[in-house]
Amino acid sequence: MQRELILHNNVKQIGPLSEFIEDLCDSLGLDTTLTFNLNLVLEEAVTNVIMYAYPQDEDHTMTLLAWTEKDENVIAFELKDQGKPFNPIEQAPEVDTTLSAKERKIGGLGIFLINQIMDEVAYRYEGNSNILTMKKNIKE
Amino acid sequence: MTFTVTEENGTIKGVMDGRLDTAAAPQFAEDMKVMMENADKHLVLDMEKLSFISSSGLRLLLSLRKETMAKNGDITIINVLPEVKQVFTITGFYSLFQFK
């Protein structure tokens, strides 16, 4: 199984992204929680590109590839954009979940959620592209 | 997402309905201003119909929580769905709010 979705750098694209993920999870028979979490992870990753990869007033695209591995035991995503080089893993601020509301900072939560939910997250810059790969075991 | 605010016996209640994602966050920031202005009171957020939340939404809720702390008010979250609740748990936001 392999599917592809092209998205523009606009927050209105979160709707089509969510439909794409719902369809994908449906076809793999994934439960509500896993579907929710994959929706969350992809929204966070795509939002990062929309907010930071390109100037806000320019129209650009990114490509999302989804496929399964290991006999449909693992779902994998690759998000590719041609924006400015940005390693979300290295450049994400540290998130301390034990802090009080007063001390908690607003930011860095997106990549934190991606790292918490996915089993493997990798970034590389290759051929003028940011490539973020995320994998999750979907079977017990 | 729609956000409907009502007042009853000094408690300000906001009902969230739909998805609070990055696309919905700017409108929610606008809609929750009435909560920010009443952050010295008892605030209730009803999340029974909130089907999705991402970090954009959590950020706004954190700013509301900070405002209630500054003004000696409080927030209670009611009827949260399990999937939404686990986002609060993963991020450590669960301990920042009162849940009922």
Side-chain angles (χ1 to χ4, degrees):
Chain A
M1 194 278 307
Q2 180 166 319
R3 294 188 192 185
E4 186 185 286
L5 178 70
I6 311 278
L7 292 163
H8 291 261
N9 58 325
N10 183 313
V11 291
K12 291 193 177 121
Q13 297 279 280
I14 299 298
L17 170 67
S18 159
E19 280 166 30
F20 175 85
I21 301 295
E22 299 275 342
D23 266 7
L24 179 71
C25 292
D26 256 7
S27 70
L28 291 167
L30 304 186
D31 68 24
T32 326
T33 305
L34 202 44
T35 303
F36 182 102
N37 284 345
L38 292 174
N39 242 308
L40 178 59
V41 161
L42 271 302
E43 181 192 315
E44 299 296 350
V46 167
T47 297
N48 257 335
V49 175
I50 293 172
M51 299 295 183
Y52 307 115
Y54 299 113
Q56 297 287 308
D57 53 352
E58 291 176 16
D59 182 36
H60 293 276
T61 57
M62 66 192 97
T63 310
L64 176 64
L65 269 182
W67 69 94
T68 51
E69 290 180 354
K70 298 181 182 165
D71 240 3
E72 297 204 339
N73 280 299
V74 169
I75 190 157
F77 297 94
E78 181 190 275
L79 184 62
K80 195 170 175 180
D81 69 78
Q82 283 75 48
K84 62 179 179 200
F86 179 75
N87 182 341
I89 302 168
E90 263 181 16
Q91 295 175 33
E94 269 190 40
V95 172
D96 185 346
T97 60
T98 63
L99 292 178
S100 71
K102 234 177 224 168
E103 300 163 313
R104 277 302 286 265
K105 297 225 171 57
I106 294 177
L109 276 177
I111 191 69
F112 178 79
L113 280 165
I114 296 173
N115 278 326
Q116 291 293 309
I117 291 166
M118 301 308 272
D119 297 317
E120 263 183 73
V121 182
Y123 167 86
R124 65 184 197 279
Y125 190 76
E126 194 180 279
N128 291 324
S129 298
N130 289 299
I131 304 170
L132 185 68
T133 314
M134 299 164 286
K135 296 183 184 184
K136 171 95 179 157
N137 194 331
I138 51 174
K139 297 281 158 69
E140 287 302 312
Chain B
M1 189 196 76
T2 60
F3 188 60
T4 316
V5 180
T6 52
E7 180 173 3
E8 204 176 306
N9 302 326
T11 297
I12 316 288
K13 182 172 160 188
V15 177
M16 305 167 84
D17 189 343
R19 290 171 53 91
L20 180 47
D21 55 22
T22 305
Q27 184 61 50
F28 179 57
E30 205 48 47
D31 295 345
M32 83 173 202
K33 274 186 184 159
V34 57
M35 294 293 233
M36 293 292 264
E37 285 156 12
N38 286 284
D40 56 333
K41 303 197 175 76
H42 299 297
L43 305 181
V44 172
L45 289 174
D46 188 340
M47 295 195 179
E48 186 175 11
K49 289 181 180 160
L50 182 72
S51 57
F52 183 83
I53 192 166
S54 65
S55 66
S56 314
L58 288 179
R59 277 186 206 111
L60 293 172
L61 294 179
L62 179 60
S63 62
L64 183 59
R65 180 72 188 98
K66 284 177 188 273
E67 191 73 4
T68 59
M69 289 183 87
K71 293 183 176 167
N72 288 319
D74 60 68
I75 312 183
T76 307
I77 293 175
I78 60 169
N79 302 325
V80 64
L81 298 178
E83 289 80 23
V84 171
K85 187 174 164 183
Q86 50 119 32
V87 182
F88 279 87
T89 312
I90 297 172
T91 53
F93 271 47
Y94 190 76
S95 58
L96 306 183
F97 295 87
Q98 264 188 299
F99 284 81
K100 256 189 200 164

